[in-house]
Amino acid sequence: MDPKEATGKENMVTKKKNLAFLRSRLYMLERRKTDTVVDSSVSGDHSGTLRRSQSDRTEYNQKLQEKMTPQGECSVAETLTSEEEHQMKRMMAKREKIIKELIQTEKDYLNDLELCVREVVQPLRNKKIDRLDVDSLFSNIESVHQISAKLLSLLEEATTDVEPAMQVIGEVFLQIKGPLEDIYKIYCYQHDEARSILESYEKEEELKEHLSHCIQSLK
């Protein structure tokens, strides 16, 4: 290695050591400035100098910062607090609205199911029409109607006479999760087949007429 190059590296190492030493000294000096606080009101300490604990220093710094903080910044903090409160109220109002819309949607859906069962499924079953398989066409729609009525009942029970902020509907879905999945698995699995059957029935005038009559009764 070139002697000049070696000397240069040694100088760099020395400078780094000196810099680290100076930093540590500056840190200790700043530490002493904050550690030692003049307080002439302490009884039994005639020198007027008191070395505070970490918690005391923290409290002192906080009080000092409060004294040095302009009044404008305090008003900004109060404004932020009121804005947060306003935002919370908006979120709770939105939550209340979502729960109401969810329950209303379930009511409308249950009403449609009741109409379908009463005006279409049951009349077709009572007619006992040849070549018209009601069970294959409508699958387990009565079970869907029953589980939907149960879901709505639980939702209403969880929200009636309960303050909006205290309404908890997640537990309702967890409670009914198993039966809901079992019933809709069957309904969804047979949906494509039911649609194919309906298309084939619409090609036969007699069956199409029976179906159209039921649909008209819905209207």
Side-chain angles (χ1 to χ4, degrees):
M1 179 182 294
D2 186 39
K4 292 183 179 180
E5 185 178 352
T7 303
K9 288 185 176 181
E10 290 178 358
N11 291 336
M12 287 294 295
V13 172
T14 303
K15 288 180 180 180
K16 288 181 179 180
K17 288 182 178 180
N18 291 337
L19 182 59
F21 174 77
L22 288 173
R23 284 177 178 173
S24 63
R25 292 291 296 173
L26 287 171
Y27 172 78
M28 291 303 298
L29 287 172
E30 292 297 324
R31 182 80 177 272
R32 288 173 182 172
K33 288 179 182 179
T34 56
D35 282 351
T36 305
V37 181
V38 176
D39 190 349
S40 58
S41 63
V42 179
S43 60
D45 188 357
H46 302 287
S47 64
T49 302
L50 174 67
R51 184 172 296 277
R52 295 174 176 261
S53 64
Q54 180 64 38
S55 59
D56 290 336
R57 289 199 304 273
T58 303
E59 182 180 358
Y60 171 79
N61 290 334
Q62 289 177 349
K63 291 181 178 180
L64 182 61
Q65 187 174 4
E66 290 174 1
K67 290 181 180 180
M68 296 180 67
T69 301
Q71 294 298 323
E73 292 185 13
C74 293
S75 61
V76 171
E78 293 175 358
T79 304
L80 289 175
T81 302
S82 63
E83 287 179 357
E84 290 175 355
E85 184 179 355
H86 179 65
Q87 185 178 4
M88 180 62 67
K89 288 181 179 179
R90 287 182 59 188
M91 289 175 62
M92 294 305 298
K94 185 177 181 180
R95 180 179 184 272
E96 181 182 359
K97 182 179 179 181
I98 291 172
I99 292 176
K100 286 182 178 180
E101 288 183 355
L102 175 63
I103 294 175
Q104 186 59 49
T105 301
E106 287 299 321
K107 287 181 179 179
D108 296 341
Y109 179 57
L110 183 61
N111 183 60
D112 291 342
L113 288 172
E114 288 175 349
L115 285 173
C116 184
V117 171
R118 184 177 70 246
E119 301 296 336
V120 180
V121 180
Q122 291 178 351
L124 288 176
R125 277 209 175 98
N126 294 336
K127 289 181 179 181
K128 297 180 180 179
I129 304 168
D130 293 336
R131 304 186 314 279
L132 197 154
D133 188 349
V134 178
D135 291 335
S136 297
L137 184 60
F138 293 98
S139 185
N140 62 336
I141 192 170
E142 284 98 345
S143 297
V144 172
H145 170 262
Q146 291 174 2
I147 197 65
S148 297
K150 179 64 176 176
L151 174 59
L152 178 60
S153 175
L154 291 173
L155 287 172
E156 289 178 334
E157 182 181 346
T159 55
T160 302
D161 298 329
V162 180
E163 290 294 327
M166 302 300 294
Q167 293 176 356
V168 179
I169 62 173
E171 293 292 334
V172 172
F173 288 96
L174 292 175
Q175 179 181 346
I176 204 171
K177 174 179 177 289
L180 202 65
E181 284 184 352
D182 293 339
I183 290 172
Y184 271 96
K185 279 179 182 177
I186 297 173
Y187 184 80
C188 294
Y189 179 77
Q190 297 179 351
H191 180 268
D192 291 341
E193 181 182 356
R195 185 171 182 177
S196 299
I197 292 173
L198 177 61
E199 290 175 353
S200 66
Y201 287 168
E202 288 177 341
K203 294 176 182 179
E204 299 186 32
E205 288 300 324
E206 182 182 357
L207 299 180
K208 183 179 180 180
E209 184 178 349
H210 287 295
L211 293 172
S212 298
H213 178 73
C214 292
I215 293 173
Q216 288 298 323
S217 65
L218 287 174
K219 295 180 180 179

